Amino acid sequence: MRLRFAPSPTGYLHIGAARTALFNWLYARKLGGTFLLRIEDTDTQRSTDESTRSIIEGLHWLGLDYDEEMVFQSANADKHRAAALQLIDAGKAYRDFTPKAERADANVKQEIAERARAASATGTDHRSNPFRDLSSQESNTRAAAGEPFAVRLKVAREGLSTFEDAVYGAQEREHSEIEDLVLLRSDGHPLYNLSVVCDDIEMRITDVIRGQDHLTNTHKQILIYEALGAPVPRFAHLPLILAPNKAKLSKRKHGEVVSLTTYRDRGFVPAAFRNFLALLGWSPDDEQELLSREQLVEKFSLSGIHRAPAVFNFNETDARQWTDQKALWMNAEYIRTMPVAELAVMVRAELEAAGLWKPEYETTRRAWFERSLEVIRQRFHTLKDFSGQGRAYFGDEFEFDDAAVKKNLQKEPRLRELLPALAARIEQTEPFTLETCEATLRAYADEAGVKAGLFINAARTALTGQSVGPSMFEVFDLIGREASARRLRDAARLI
RNA sequence: GGGGUGUUGGUGGAAUUGGUUACCACGCCGCCCUCUCAAGGCGGAGGCUACGGGUUCGAUCCCCGUACACCCUACCA
C-alpha cells in the first residue's frame, strides 16, 4: 500500500494541505504502508524553491516523515508528454489544432457560465470538436508541418464512470458531462490531470487521499488511467476547511492564520497542533480528544472522516482569537501537561531566540530551570509566553505592565517606604524557602498593620512586572533572595 | 447555465446503521477554591437536528422538494 502527499509549491504550506498530509501519513503508518512526498511544480511561473523548503520544514515540524526520495513532478514532464503522444497513436486522444484562446484568470468562472449558457441557447454541443474525428493521416501531416496543437483525451460519448469513494461513497458521472479534456497544451506543457495520473502510476500509488475539491476531477482522472491501461487506485476525499464566513480559506483573504509556519512561529507545540488538525474533519470512535501521535495512528480510520466541510474558527478583529480557540486551548493543555524535559527543549529554543538563554540552565541550574517551567507553564498558552510574560524569571530586563503598576504599587503610597523595608526582611530570611518567605512577609504585614495581600500583590508586580502569575511565595523562591530584594527596592521608585 | 457534495447549539464533533428528557469538547456565564490569574471542582445559558412535505406506531437517522454553502465545469493546479 502506497500513499503520497502532493502539494504544489506555490506559497507557504496551507493548514488544509498540512491536514491532507497528516491523514495520508496516519493512514500509511497505521497500515504499514509507504508515505511519499511529491512536489507538483509543473507551474513554473508560480513554483518556488522557498515554498518547497517551507513544505518540507512544515512536515518535519509536524513530525510527518516520508519514505523514499521526494519526487519533483517537473522532472517527469517528458514522460507525461510521451504518455499523451502514446494515447494519440492508440487512438485514445487526438490533436486539436484550434488556436489557443487567451483566458483571463480573474473571470474564468463567469466565462464558463456564459459560454455554457450561450451553448445551450444555440443548442450546440459544447463537446463537439471538429478535430476529434480527423483522420490520423491528416492529423499526422499537419503536425509534421509544424502546426501547433493541443492534445485532448477522446472521451466516450456514452456511458458513465463510477468509483467508490471511501468517504463520500459511490460516485458516478455521465461521460456526456465530461468534455474532451486537454492533456497537453499546444506549447507541449502537460496539464495537471495528466501529470498526477502519470506520476501516481509511476509511483505505484494505491490509495489517494486528497481534498474534496478533486472529487469531480476524479472521474476525468479515472478516464486517463483507463486509457493508459493502468489500475485505478482507491480514493478518499477529505472535507474542505472553511473560514468562519464559510468561504474558502485563502492566503489573500485570511492571511497568516492559514499558514502552518505561523503556528510554529507563534509558539505552538507541534504535537498540539497536529492533534488539533487531526480533529478537523475526523473523529475517533470514542470521545477522547487529546491524542498522542501513536494514539492517532492507532485510532485513525477512513470511516471516521466526515463529509461536511469544517469551519476553522477565528476572529481577525480580536487578537485573543487570532486562531481557533480550541487550538489555543489544546496548545495550553499540552504545555501544561507534557513531560517537563520535553518542554525544556522547546523553551530553550524560545529563550535563545529572545536572547534570554543561559547555558547553566542545562548544567548547574537545570533543576531550577525545570522547577521554574513547572510553575510558570500552568498559565501559559504558547511557547512565546516563556519569553513574554515569563521574561522576569530569566533575567532582570523586563517590562512593567502599566495597569499592574497603578493597581498594585501606586494605589498605596505607603509602599514607597514599606517595600524597601520588606526587601530588608526578605534579604535576611534564613533559610530562603517558599515557607520562610511567606512567614517573613506575613509577619511584617502584621507589624506594619497592612493586609498581607497588599504586600503579595505589590511584590508580584515588583518581581515580575505583572498583576497575575503563580503563587507569590513560589515566585520569591524561584527569583531568589538577592534579585527579589533588589526588585522590591527598585519598584519602590516607581511609586 | 450544467454537474457534484454537503447542512446537528457560536465552533469542532457524538448519537448502538429509526426507539424514551439529542451527548462530548472548545468558547461563554455563575459558584467554590484563593494572595492575583490560571488550573481544578460544581452548576448554568445556548438546538423546533436548514426549511417544507412524505414513509412509519415512532425520524437527527430513510425518500422527495426548496433554500443556502462549497467544489468542479480552464490549453490553472
Side-chain angles (χ1 to χ4, degrees):
Chain A
M1 160 168 219
R2 293 166 66 85
L3 294 100
R4 58 23 174 219
F5 171 52
S8 50
T10 53
Y12 54 60
L13 183 55
H14 188 284
I15 53 171
R19 188 201 51 172
T20 300
L22 210 213
F23 284 20
N24 272 286
W25 181 89
L26 286 172
Y27 198 50
R29 291 294 173 260
K30 181 181 178 77
L31 273 6
T34 305
F35 174 63
L36 307 168
L37 175 61
R38 180 174 73 229
I39 303 293
E40 307 219 317
D41 56 348
T42 50
D43 186 341
T44 46
Q45 297 289 310
R46 294 191 293 164
S47 299
T48 64
D49 290 347
E50 192 195 339
S51 175
T52 300
R53 266 198 306 281
S54 117
I55 288 166
I56 295 167
E57 272 175 34
L59 293 180
H60 179 73
W61 185 71
L62 279 177
L64 311 182
D65 53 327
Y66 54 90
D67 308 306
E68 302 182 10
E69 283 295 299
M70 143 172 70
V71 172
F72 285 92
Q73 188 161 67
S74 59
N76 299 334
D78 286 341
K79 290 180 190 166
H80 304 160
R81 250 186 302 277
L85 267 15
Q86 174 206 321
L87 288 179
I88 297 177
D89 289 341
K92 291 176 175 168
Y94 62 93
R95 299 190 184 89
D96 181 356
F97 295 98
T98 311
K100 181 182 175 183
E102 289 304 332
R103 203 153 260 141
D105 256 27
N107 27 340
V108 254
K109 311 250 180 218
Q110 213 176 34
E111 217 176 289
I112 289 165
E114 276 163 21
R115 202 158 46 109
R117 239 176 313 231
S120 78
T122 57
T124 50
D125 181 1
H126 68 287
R127 299 170 68 245
S128 62
N129 186 306
F131 299 99
R132 181 177 160 111
D133 297 314
L134 198 65
S135 74
S136 64
Q137 195 186 12
E138 191 183 343
S139 175
N140 288 342
T141 322
R142 288 174 71 162
E147 192 174 340
F149 60 86
V151 177
R152 285 182 185 272
L153 186 72
K154 198 179 276 183
V155 179
R157 299 251 107 124
E158 279 161 16
L160 75 177
S161 89
T162 63
F163 71 95
E164 182 72 23
D165 189 88
V167 173
Y168 290 94
Q171 301 293 316
E172 57 173 62
R173 195 173 190 196
E174 299 280 342
H175 286 157
S176 61
E177 273 156 20
I178 303 177
E179 217 169 3
D180 286 346
L181 58 144
V182 174
L183 266 19
L184 225 53
R185 267 200 256 164
S186 48
D187 62 5
H189 187 90
L191 253 30
Y192 173 74
N193 285 120
L194 205 221
S195 295
V196 219
V197 172
C198 287
D199 284 349
D200 282 343
I201 292 171
E202 167 126 359
M203 291 165 80
R204 308 194 319 279
I205 299 302
T206 59
D207 295 77
V208 174
I209 301 178
R210 68 209 331 182
Q212 196 240 33
D213 45 345
H214 286 111
L215 190 62
T216 39
N217 281 334
T218 305
H219 289 101
K220 295 190 248 173
Q221 293 175 198
I222 287 175
L223 257 22
I224 299 177
Y225 275 104
E226 287 170 348
L228 255 18
V232 179
R234 288 183 286 265
F235 292 98
H237 287 85
L238 269 26
L240 261 24
I241 298 178
L242 267 27
N245 62 358
K246 312 252 188 218
K248 196 175 181 175
L249 262 184
S250 81
K251 174 186 186 174
R252 230 188 65 247
K253 283 169 69 183
H254 305 104
E256 64 168 10
V257 259
V258 304
S259 167
L260 185 73
T261 46
T262 298
Y263 296 87
R264 178 196 62 196
D265 298 343
R266 294 189 64 158
F268 264 75
V269 171
F273 199 68
R274 180 177 57 219
N275 193 158
F276 172 75
L277 231 36
L279 263 18
L280 226 43
W282 172 81
S283 61
D285 292 333
D286 52 30
E287 285 186 333
Q288 189 184 343
E289 293 198 311
L290 261 2
L291 300 157
S292 68
R293 184 161 72 159
E294 292 67 33
Q295 288 172 315
L296 285 173
V297 169
E298 185 202 322
K299 290 174 189 270
F300 187 78
S301 72
L302 296 183
S303 61
I305 298 175
H306 313 139
R307 281 163 288 274
V311 171
F312 190 68
N313 199 17
F314 60 94
N315 184 344
E316 284 149 310
T317 61
D318 182 352
R320 280 178 29 222
Q321 294 179 45
W322 67 272
T323 188
D324 199 294
Q325 294 265 282
K326 194 160 184 172
L328 249 14
W329 165 80
M330 200 166 265
N331 198 44
E333 186 68 25
Y334 269 79
I335 284 178
R336 96 172 70 90
T337 58
M338 72 196 297
V340 203
E342 270 175 48
L343 179 66
V345 177
M346 296 180 211
V347 176
R348 174 184 168 160
E350 177 55 35
L351 294 185
E352 279 175 340
L356 294 170
W357 175 254
K358 297 191 184 87
E360 56 264 36
Y361 291 162
E362 263 190 352
T363 54
T364 54
R365 300 194 71 198
R366 172 93 201 180
W368 172 87
F369 184 60
E370 290 196 354
R371 195 156 44 86
S372 299
L373 296 188
E374 192 64 73
V375 170
I376 63 180
R377 70 169 171 169
Q378 300 302 330
R379 58 215 80 208
F380 285 176
H381 285 82
T382 73
L383 295 169
K384 284 278 154 204
D385 290 334
F386 288 91
S387 63
Q389 289 173 244
R391 199 178 183 88
Y393 294 86
F394 305 106
D396 288 328
E397 302 284 315
F398 59 89
E399 307 242 315
F400 282 89
D401 176 67
D402 285 343
V405 171
K406 281 202 184 78
K407 190 174 100 197
N408 293 337
L409 296 173
Q410 296 173 338
K411 215 163 152 188
E412 175 51 84
R414 280 187 292 165
L415 283 171
R416 196 180 350 218
E417 283 75 41
L418 293 173
L419 247 27
L422 177 63
R425 312 266 176 137
I426 286 288
E427 213 160 31
Q428 284 155 28
T429 300
E430 192 65 51
F432 191 83
T433 69
L434 186 157
E435 292 81 9
T436 56
C437 283
E438 173 158 16
T440 300
L441 183 144
R442 288 192 189 280
Y444 183 55
D446 272 351
E447 190 185 322
V450 298
K451 283 187 177 170
L454 177 72
F455 280 162
I456 289 171
N457 289 325
R460 176 156 20 246
T461 301
L463 266 61
T464 69
Q466 300 182 340
S467 60
V468 300
S471 162
M472 199 48 217
F473 305 108
E474 297 252 34
V475 178
F476 274 122
D477 188 31
L478 291 176
I479 304 253
R481 184 200 305 272
E482 194 199 331
S484 293
R486 186 171 62 244
R487 290 182 191 181
L488 284 173
R489 290 196 180 96
D490 288 350
R493 291 190 210 115
L494 294 173
I495 299 165

